[in-house]
């Protein structure tokens, strides 16, 4: 099965919609193989979003991601990467399809409720960023 990383971002945790998001994950056939509630350090957030370091919003993105607790979740499913991105919807909730997580719960293009890996390779790299091998259940 393919792996992908979900992060329930600080805006969604602050709004107390993490339960609804986890229910949508389960209702859509994803297996949760690892999950935790953590406060990211600035160093961790910078490292996780390193690919965006030349983008004008990098500083804002890092500050947002450390503004409160987040919930990284390793998801598994056939076609997990594409199916998770479909369920979360477009980066900007204004452009996201009806019924997607971002349409339902995101505040804006920056405070957009959840993260999703963008490739199979990044699904593995990103789940391993948050979880040690022994933290994944079979
Ligand atoms: P994603 O793959 O849909 O998450 O989108 P991207 O990889 O393009 O961007 C990564 C994250 O950066 C997004 O999920 C947003 O949280 C944030 N982001 C994207 N565009 C902007 C922007 O224009 N301004 C700010 N502040 N944040 C943004």
């Amino acid at each position: 099965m393919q792996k992908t990383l979900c992060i329930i971002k600080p805006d969604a945790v602050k709004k107390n919609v993490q339960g609804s998001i986890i229910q949508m994950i389960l209702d859509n056939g994803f297996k949760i193989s690892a999950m935790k509630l953590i406060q990211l350090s600035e160093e961790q957030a910078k490292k996780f979003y390193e690919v965006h370091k030349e983008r004008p919003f990098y500083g804002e993105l890092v500050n947002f991601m450390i503004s409160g607790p987040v919930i990284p979740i390793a998801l598994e499913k056939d076609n997990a990467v594409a199916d998770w991105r479909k369920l979360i919807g477009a980066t900007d909730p204004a452009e996201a399809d009806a019924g997607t997580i971002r349409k339902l719960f995101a505040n804006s293009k920056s405070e957009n409720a959840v993260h999703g890996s963008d490739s199979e390779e990044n699904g593995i790299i990103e789940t391993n960023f948050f979880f040690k091998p022994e933290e994944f259940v079979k």
Side-chain angles (χ1 to χ4, degrees), residues 38-104:
I38 54 168
Q39 170 66 52
L40 286 176
S41 67
E42 185 175 347
E43 192 187 2
Q44 281 174 309
K46 280 184 169 165
K47 195 168 170 218
F48 183 76
Y49 281 113
E50 208 161 25
V51 292
H52 293 310
K53 73 169 184 284
E54 305 305 333
R55 312 265 294 262
F57 58 80
Y58 180 62
E60 241 177 71
L61 174 58
V62 168
N63 283 333
F64 163 57
M65 290 301 290
I66 64 173
S67 66
V70 296
I71 305 175
I73 308 175
L75 301 178
E76 288 185 25
K77 185 183 184 297
D78 290 336
N79 208 32
V81 172
D83 286 358
W84 175 237
R85 290 200 62 100
K86 187 157 190 264
L87 183 60
I88 71 181
T91 309
D92 184 345
E95 288 163 18
D97 289 341
T100 59
I101 292 174
R102 283 169 168 168
K103 184 56 120 192
L104 289 167

Coordinates of all heavy atoms in Angstrom, one line a residue, residues 38-104:
I38 N 1.7 17.2 18.3 CA 2.9 17.8 18.7 C 3.0 19.3 18.5 O 2.2 19.8 17.6 CB 4.1 17.2 17.9 CG1 3.9 17.2 16.4 CG2 4.4 15.8 18.4 CD1 5.2 16.9 15.6
Q39 N 3.8 20.0 19.1 CA 4.2 21.4 18.9 C 5.5 21.4 18.1 O 6.5 20.9 18.6 CB 4.3 22.2 20.2 CG 4.9 23.6 20.0 CD 3.9 24.5 19.2 OE1 2.8 24.6 19.6 NE2 4.5 25.1 18.2
L40 N 5.4 21.8 16.8 CA 6.7 21.9 16.0 C 7.6 23.0 16.5 O 7.1 24.1 16.9 CB 6.3 22.2 14.6 CG 5.7 21.1 13.7 CD1 5.4 21.6 12.3 CD2 6.7 19.9 13.6
S41 N 8.9 22.8 16.5 CA 9.8 23.9 16.7 C 10.0 24.6 15.4 O 9.7 24.1 14.3 CB 11.1 23.3 17.2 OG 11.7 22.6 16.1
E42 N 10.5 25.8 15.5 CA 10.8 26.6 14.3 C 11.8 25.9 13.4 O 11.6 25.8 12.2 CB 11.4 28.0 14.7 CG 11.6 28.9 13.5 CD 12.0 30.3 13.9 OE1 12.0 30.7 15.1 OE2 12.5 31.0 12.9
E43 N 12.8 25.2 14.0 CA 13.8 24.5 13.2 C 13.1 23.3 12.5 O 13.4 23.1 11.3 CB 14.8 23.9 14.2 CG 16.0 23.4 13.6 CD 16.9 22.7 14.6 OE1 16.6 22.7 15.8 OE2 18.0 22.3 14.2
Q44 N 12.2 22.6 13.1 CA 11.5 21.5 12.4 C 10.6 22.0 11.3 O 10.6 21.4 10.2 CB 10.6 20.7 13.4 CG 11.3 19.8 14.3 CD 10.3 19.2 15.4 OE1 9.6 20.0 16.0 NE2 10.2 17.9 15.5
A45 N 9.9 23.1 11.5 CA 9.0 23.6 10.5 C 9.8 24.1 9.3 O 9.4 23.9 8.2 CB 8.1 24.7 11.1
K46 N 10.9 24.8 9.6 CA 11.8 25.3 8.5 C 12.3 24.1 7.7 O 12.4 24.1 6.4 CB 13.0 26.0 9.1 CG 12.6 27.5 9.4 CD 13.9 28.2 9.9 CE 13.7 29.6 10.0 NZ 14.7 30.3 10.8
K47 N 12.7 23.0 8.4 CA 13.2 21.9 7.7 C 12.2 21.2 6.8 O 12.4 20.8 5.7 CB 13.9 20.9 8.7 CG 14.7 19.9 8.1 CD 15.6 19.1 9.1 CE 16.3 18.0 8.4 NZ 16.3 16.8 9.2
F48 N 11.0 21.0 7.4 CA 9.9 20.3 6.7 C 9.5 21.0 5.4 O 9.3 20.4 4.4 CB 8.7 20.1 7.6 CG 7.6 19.4 6.9 CD1 7.7 18.0 6.8 CD2 6.5 20.0 6.4 CE1 6.7 17.2 6.2 CE2 5.5 19.3 5.7 CZ 5.6 17.9 5.6
Y49 N 9.5 22.4 5.5 CA 9.1 23.2 4.3 C 10.3 23.7 3.5 O 10.1 24.7 2.8 CB 8.1 24.3 4.7 CG 6.7 23.8 4.9 CD1 6.1 23.8 6.2 CD2 6.0 23.3 3.8 CE1 4.8 23.3 6.4 CE2 4.6 22.9 4.0 CZ 4.1 22.9 5.3 OH 2.8 22.4 5.5
E50 N 11.4 23.1 3.7 CA 12.7 23.6 3.0 C 12.5 23.8 1.5 O 13.0 24.8 0.9 CB 13.8 22.6 3.3 CG 15.2 23.2 3.3 CD 16.2 22.4 3.9 OE1 16.0 21.1 4.0 OE2 17.2 22.9 4.4
V51 N 11.7 23.0 0.9 CA 11.5 23.1 -0.6 C 10.9 24.4 -1.0 O 11.0 24.9 -2.1 CB 10.6 22.0 -1.2 CG1 11.2 20.6 -1.2 CG2 9.2 22.0 -0.6
H52 N 10.2 25.1 0.0 CA 9.6 26.4 -0.3 C 10.4 27.5 0.2 O 9.9 28.7 0.2 CB 8.2 26.4 0.4 CG 7.2 25.5 -0.1 ND1 6.9 25.4 -1.4 CD2 6.4 24.6 0.5 CE1 6.0 24.4 -1.6 NE2 5.6 24.0 -0.5
K53 N 11.7 27.3 0.5 CA 12.4 28.4 1.2 C 12.7 29.6 0.3 O 12.9 30.7 0.9 CB 13.7 27.9 1.9 CG 14.8 27.5 1.0 CD 16.1 27.3 1.9 CE 17.3 27.0 1.2 NZ 17.3 25.6 0.7
E54 N 12.6 29.5 -1.0 CA 12.8 30.7 -1.8 C 11.4 31.4 -2.1 O 11.4 32.4 -2.7 CB 13.4 30.3 -3.2 CG 14.7 29.5 -3.1 CD 15.8 30.3 -2.3 OE1 15.7 31.5 -2.2 OE2 16.7 29.6 -1.7
R55 N 10.3 30.7 -1.7 CA 9.0 31.4 -2.0 C 8.8 32.5 -1.0 O 9.2 32.5 0.1 CB 7.9 30.3 -1.8 CG 8.1 29.0 -2.5 CD 7.5 28.8 -3.8 NE 6.1 28.8 -3.9 CZ 5.3 27.7 -4.0 NH1 5.9 26.5 -3.9 NH2 4.0 27.8 -4.2
P56 N 8.1 33.6 -1.5 CA 7.9 34.8 -0.6 C 7.1 34.5 0.7 O 7.3 35.2 1.6 CB 7.1 35.7 -1.5 CG 6.5 34.9 -2.6 CD 7.4 33.7 -2.8
F57 N 6.3 33.4 0.7 CA 5.5 33.1 1.9 C 6.2 32.2 2.9 O 5.6 31.8 3.9 CB 4.1 32.6 1.5 CG 4.2 31.4 0.7 CD1 4.3 30.1 1.2 CD2 4.0 31.4 -0.7 CE1 4.3 29.0 0.5 CE2 4.0 30.3 -1.5 CZ 4.2 29.0 -0.9
Y58 N 7.5 31.8 2.6 CA 8.1 30.8 3.5 C 8.1 31.2 5.0 O 7.7 30.4 5.8 CB 9.6 30.7 3.0 CG 10.4 29.6 3.8 CD1 10.1 28.3 3.8 CD2 11.6 30.1 4.5 CE1 10.8 27.4 4.5 CE2 12.4 29.1 5.1 CZ 12.0 27.8 5.2 OH 12.8 26.9 5.9
G59 N 8.5 32.5 5.3 CA 8.5 32.9 6.7 C 7.1 32.8 7.3 O 7.0 32.4 8.5
E60 N 6.1 33.3 6.6 CA 4.7 33.3 7.1 C 4.3 31.8 7.3 O 3.6 31.5 8.3 CB 3.8 33.8 6.0 CG 3.1 35.1 6.4 CD 2.2 35.6 5.2 OE1 1.2 35.0 4.8 OE2 2.6 36.7 4.6
L61 N 4.6 30.9 6.4 CA 4.2 29.5 6.5 C 4.9 28.9 7.7 O 4.2 28.2 8.5 CB 4.7 28.8 5.2 CG 4.5 27.3 5.1 CD1 3.0 26.9 5.3 CD2 5.0 26.7 3.8
V62 N 6.1 29.2 8.0 CA 6.8 28.6 9.1 C 6.2 29.1 10.4 O 5.8 28.4 11.3 CB 8.3 28.9 9.1 CG1 9.0 28.6 10.4 CG2 9.0 28.1 8.0
N63 N 5.9 30.4 10.5 CA 5.3 31.0 11.6 C 3.9 30.5 11.9 O 3.5 30.2 13.0 CB 5.2 32.5 11.5 CG 6.6 33.2 11.8 OD1 7.4 32.6 12.5 ND2 6.8 34.3 11.2
F64 N 3.1 30.2 10.8 CA 1.8 29.6 11.0 C 1.9 28.2 11.5 O 1.2 27.8 12.4 CB 1.1 29.6 9.6 CG -0.1 28.7 9.5 CD1 -1.1 28.8 10.4 CD2 -0.1 27.7 8.5 CE1 -2.2 28.0 10.4 CE2 -1.2 26.9 8.5 CZ -2.3 27.0 9.4
M65 N 2.9 27.4 11.0 CA 3.0 26.0 11.4 C 3.4 25.8 12.8 O 3.2 24.8 13.4 CB 3.9 25.3 10.4 CG 3.3 25.1 9.0 SD 1.7 24.2 9.0 CE 2.2 22.5 9.4
I66 N 4.0 26.9 13.4 CA 4.5 26.8 14.8 C 3.5 27.6 15.7 O 3.8 27.7 16.9 CB 5.9 27.3 15.0 CG1 6.1 28.7 14.7 CG2 6.9 26.4 14.2 CD1 7.5 29.3 15.0
S67 N 2.4 28.1 15.2 CA 1.5 28.9 16.0 C 0.6 28.1 16.9 O -0.1 28.7 17.7 CB 0.6 29.7 15.0 OG -0.3 28.9 14.3
G68 N 0.7 26.8 16.9 CA -0.1 25.9 17.8 C 0.2 24.5 17.4 O 0.9 24.2 16.5
P69 N -0.4 23.5 18.2 CA -0.1 22.1 18.0 C -0.6 21.7 16.6 O -1.6 22.2 16.1 CB -0.9 21.4 19.1 CG -1.3 22.5 20.1 CD -1.2 23.8 19.4
V70 N 0.1 20.6 16.1 CA -0.3 20.0 14.8 C -0.5 18.5 15.1 O 0.1 18.0 16.0 CB 0.7 20.3 13.7 CG1 0.8 21.7 13.3 CG2 2.1 19.7 14.0
I71 N -1.2 17.8 14.1 CA -1.3 16.4 14.2 C -0.8 15.7 13.0 O -1.6 15.7 12.0 CB -2.8 16.0 14.5 CG1 -3.3 16.7 15.8 CG2 -3.0 14.5 14.7 CD1 -4.8 16.5 16.0
P72 N 0.4 15.3 12.9 CA 0.9 14.5 11.8 C 0.3 13.1 11.8 O 0.2 12.5 12.9 CB 2.4 14.4 11.9 CG 2.7 15.1 13.2 CD 1.5 15.4 13.9
I73 N -0.2 12.6 10.7 CA -0.8 11.3 10.6 C -0.3 10.6 9.3 O -0.3 11.1 8.2 CB -2.3 11.4 10.4 CG1 -2.9 12.3 11.6 CG2 -3.0 10.0 10.4 CD1 -4.4 12.5 11.4
A74 N 0.3 9.4 9.5 CA 0.7 8.6 8.3 C -0.5 7.8 7.9 O -1.1 7.1 8.6 CB 1.8 7.6 8.8
L75 N -0.8 8.0 6.6 CA -2.0 7.3 6.0 C -1.5 6.2 5.0 O -0.5 6.5 4.3 CB -2.8 8.3 5.2 CG -3.4 9.5 6.0 CD1 -4.2 10.4 5.1 CD2 -4.2 9.0 7.2
E76 N -2.2 5.1 4.9 CA -1.9 4.1 3.9 C -3.2 3.7 3.2 O -4.3 3.6 3.8 CB -1.3 2.9 4.7 CG 0.1 3.1 5.2 CD 0.7 1.9 5.8 OE1 0.3 0.8 5.4 OE2 1.6 2.1 6.6
K77 N -3.0 3.4 1.9 CA -4.1 3.0 1.0 C -3.5 2.8 -0.3 O -2.5 3.4 -0.7 CB -5.1 4.2 1.0 CG -6.4 4.0 0.3 CD -7.1 5.4 0.3 CE -8.5 5.2 -0.3 NZ -8.4 4.9 -1.7
D78 N -4.2 2.0 -1.2 CA -3.8 2.0 -2.6 C -4.0 3.4 -3.1 O -5.1 4.0 -2.8 CB -4.7 1.0 -3.4 CG -4.4 -0.4 -3.0 OD1 -3.3 -0.7 -2.6 OD2 -5.3 -1.3 -3.2
N79 N -3.1 3.9 -3.9 CA -3.3 5.3 -4.5 C -3.4 6.4 -3.4 O -4.1 7.4 -3.6 CB -4.5 5.2 -5.4 CG -4.3 6.3 -6.5 OD1 -3.2 6.6 -6.9 ND2 -5.4 6.8 -7.0
A80 N -2.8 6.2 -2.2 CA -3.0 7.1 -1.1 C -2.7 8.6 -1.4 O -3.4 9.5 -1.0 CB -2.2 6.6 0.1
V81 N -1.6 8.8 -2.2 CA -1.1 10.2 -2.4 C -2.2 10.9 -3.2 O -2.7 12.0 -2.7 CB 0.2 10.2 -3.2 CG1 0.6 11.6 -3.6 CG2 1.3 9.6 -2.3
A82 N -2.6 10.4 -4.3 CA -3.6 11.1 -5.1 C -5.0 11.1 -4.5 O -5.7 12.2 -4.5 CB -3.7 10.4 -6.5
D83 N -5.4 10.0 -3.8 CA -6.7 10.0 -3.2 C -6.8 11.0 -2.0 O -7.8 11.6 -1.8 CB -7.0 8.6 -2.7 CG -7.4 7.6 -3.8 OD1 -7.4 8.1 -5.0 OD2 -7.6 6.5 -3.5
W84 N -5.7 11.1 -1.3 CA -5.7 12.1 -0.1 C -5.7 13.5 -0.7 O -6.4 14.4 -0.2 CB -4.4 11.9 0.8 CG -4.3 12.9 1.9 CD1 -3.2 13.6 2.1 CD2 -5.3 13.1 2.9 NE1 -3.5 14.4 3.2 CE2 -4.7 14.1 3.7 CE3 -6.5 12.7 3.2 CZ2 -5.4 14.7 4.8 CZ3 -7.2 13.2 4.3 CH2 -6.6 14.2 5.1
R85 N -5.0 13.8 -1.7 CA -5.0 15.2 -2.3 C -6.4 15.5 -2.9 O -6.9 16.6 -2.8 CB -3.9 15.4 -3.4 CG -2.5 15.4 -2.7 CD -1.4 16.0 -3.5 NE -1.6 17.4 -3.8 CZ -1.0 18.4 -3.2 NH1 -0.3 18.2 -2.1 NH2 -1.2 19.6 -3.6
K86 N -7.1 14.5 -3.4 CA -8.4 14.7 -3.9 C -9.4 15.0 -2.7 O -10.2 15.9 -2.8 CB -8.9 13.4 -4.6 CG -10.2 13.6 -5.3 CD -10.4 12.6 -6.4 CE -11.6 12.9 -7.3 NZ -12.7 12.1 -6.9
L87 N -9.2 14.3 -1.6 CA -10.1 14.5 -0.5 C -9.8 15.8 0.2 O -10.7 16.5 0.8 CB -9.9 13.3 0.5 CG -10.8 13.4 1.8 CD1 -12.3 13.3 1.4 CD2 -10.5 12.2 2.7
I88 N -8.6 16.3 0.2 CA -8.3 17.6 0.9 C -8.7 18.8 0.0 O -9.1 19.8 0.5 CB -6.8 17.7 1.4 CG1 -5.8 17.9 0.3 CG2 -6.5 16.6 2.3 CD1 -4.4 18.0 0.9
G89 N -8.6 18.7 -1.3 CA -9.0 19.8 -2.2 C -7.9 20.7 -2.5 O -6.8 20.6 -2.0
A90 N -8.2 21.7 -3.3 CA -7.1 22.7 -3.8 C -6.5 23.5 -2.6 O -7.2 23.7 -1.6 CB -7.8 23.7 -4.8
T91 N -5.3 24.0 -2.8 CA -4.6 24.7 -1.8 C -5.4 25.9 -1.3 O -5.5 26.1 0.0 CB -3.3 25.3 -2.4 OG1 -2.6 24.2 -3.0 CG2 -2.4 25.9 -1.3
D92 N -6.1 26.6 -2.2 CA -6.9 27.7 -1.8 C -8.4 27.2 -1.6 O -9.0 26.7 -2.6 CB -6.8 28.8 -2.9 CG -7.6 30.0 -2.6 OD1 -8.4 30.0 -1.6 OD2 -7.4 31.0 -3.3
P93 N -8.9 27.3 -0.4 CA -10.3 26.8 -0.2 C -11.3 27.4 -1.2 O -12.3 26.8 -1.5 CB -10.6 27.1 1.2 CG -9.6 28.2 1.7 CD -8.4 27.9 0.8
A94 N -11.1 28.6 -1.6 CA -12.0 29.2 -2.6 C -12.1 28.5 -3.9 O -13.1 28.5 -4.6 CB -11.5 30.7 -2.9
E95 N -11.0 27.7 -4.2 CA -10.9 26.9 -5.4 C -11.2 25.4 -5.2 O -11.2 24.6 -6.1 CB -9.6 27.1 -6.1 CG -9.4 28.5 -6.7 CD -7.9 28.8 -7.0 OE1 -7.1 27.8 -7.1 OE2 -7.6 30.0 -7.1
A96 N -11.4 25.1 -3.9 CA -11.5 23.6 -3.6 C -13.0 23.2 -3.9 O -13.9 23.9 -3.8 CB -11.2 23.4 -2.1
D97 N -13.0 21.9 -4.3 CA -14.4 21.3 -4.6 C -15.2 21.2 -3.4 O -14.7 21.0 -2.3 CB -14.2 19.9 -5.2 CG -13.6 19.9 -6.6 OD1 -13.7 21.0 -7.3 OD2 -13.1 18.9 -7.1
A98 N -16.5 21.2 -3.6 CA -17.5 21.0 -2.5 C -17.2 19.7 -1.8 O -16.9 18.7 -2.5 CB -18.9 21.1 -3.0
G99 N -17.3 19.7 -0.5 CA -17.2 18.4 0.2 C -15.7 18.1 0.6 O -15.5 17.1 1.3
T100 N -14.8 18.8 0.1 CA -13.4 18.5 0.4 C -13.1 19.1 1.8 O -13.8 20.0 2.3 CB -12.4 19.1 -0.6 OG1 -12.6 20.5 -0.7 CG2 -12.6 18.5 -2.0
I101 N -12.0 18.6 2.4 CA -11.6 19.0 3.7 C -11.3 20.5 3.8 O -11.7 21.3 4.7 CB -10.4 18.2 4.3 CG1 -10.9 16.7 4.5 CG2 -9.8 18.8 5.6 CD1 -9.8 15.8 4.9
R102 N -10.6 21.0 2.8 CA -10.2 22.4 2.8 C -11.5 23.3 2.5 O -11.6 24.4 3.1 CB -9.1 22.7 1.7 CG -7.7 22.3 2.3 CD -6.7 22.3 1.2 NE -5.3 22.1 1.8 CZ -4.3 21.9 1.1 NH1 -4.3 21.7 -0.2 NH2 -3.1 21.8 1.6
K103 N -12.4 22.8 1.7 CA -13.6 23.6 1.5 C -14.4 23.7 2.8 O -14.9 24.8 3.1 CB -14.4 23.0 0.4 CG -15.7 23.7 0.0 CD -15.4 25.2 -0.4 CE -15.8 25.5 -1.8 NZ -15.3 26.7 -2.3
L104 N -14.4 22.6 3.5 CA -15.2 22.6 4.7 C -14.5 23.3 5.9 O -15.2 24.0 6.7 CB -15.4 21.1 5.2 CG -16.4 20.3 4.3 CD1 -16.3 18.8 4.6 CD2 -17.8 20.8 4.5

